[in-house]
Amino acid sequence: GWATAGSAPPTGPASGRDDGPGDEGYAGVAVDFLAASAAAEPTQLILDAPSGDRLDGVEDGEIAEVTCEVSRDGVRPLPGRSLPDDAAELVRRIKEVERLTLRAALESSRRLALEAIAAHPVVPTRDVAERMLDAYLQRHTTLAERLR
């Protein structure tokens, strides 16, 4: 693809050409998945799938990006290797952020939304998390009205 060639030709309405989504990013994953799901021989793809007990910190039934074999017989997540301790801790922290975010949405809870932001590994302090949430809610007043 163009990404490997180092530069892409101009596309879109202004250039007079529109090649569609191309073969990169999610469009490429979708095309690869469709091709693999029609084939007799399995192809390995990284997909969002129930993790089972593959990853420390990810509960059974939760979704994670994992390597799967895909063929016309279906999708089968492959057994994984144990993550190094620092990577496993990062997965645990991100999954906790996701759980808190879901609870905040389901319970319309500002407190849980703040907890989710503060728990994220790139947010250095609770004060920063509070400022981030306040700024977001100022821009999204409908959401701000729903959170209590």
Side-chain angles (χ1 to χ4, degrees):
W2 288 102
T4 56
S7 65
T11 60
S15 70
R17 65 177 276 189
D18 185 359
D19 294 331
D23 60 358
E24 304 296 326
Y26 290 121
V29 172
V31 169
D32 290 346
F33 177 79
L34 290 172
S37 64
E41 291 298 314
T43 300
Q44 288 189 4
L45 298 172
I46 298 173
L47 301 172
D48 288 348
S51 70
D53 60 357
R54 290 177 38 99
L55 293 173
D56 292 337
V58 181
E59 295 176 8
D60 191 30
E62 288 186 318
I63 303 299
E65 287 187 359
V66 296
T67 303
C68 299
E69 278 192 345
V70 180
S71 71
R72 65 177 169 219
D73 295 326
V75 176
R76 184 175 64 89
L78 297 176
R81 295 174 282 158
S82 294
L83 294 173
D85 290 343
D86 56 341
E89 179 58 26
L90 181 60
V91 168
R92 279 191 286 279
R93 289 184 68 187
I94 294 298
K95 289 311 283 186
E96 181 61 18
V97 168
E98 292 174 1
R99 291 180 198 115
L100 285 167
T101 301
L102 286 171
R103 284 186 54 210
L106 292 171
E107 298 176 28
S108 298
S109 172
R110 185 188 191 290
R111 179 187 63 78
L112 288 172
L114 176 60
E115 293 298 324
I117 295 168
H120 199 286
V122 300
V123 178
T125 66
R126 189 173 181 84
D127 182 57
V128 169
E130 182 80 44
R131 290 193 317 255
M132 290 171 67
L133 180 59
D134 288 345
Y136 188 82
L137 294 177
Q138 286 176 5
R139 289 186 196 96
H140 301 278
T141 56
T142 303
L143 179 59
E145 292 166 2
R146 293 187 63 207
L147 294 183
R148 35 180 208 285

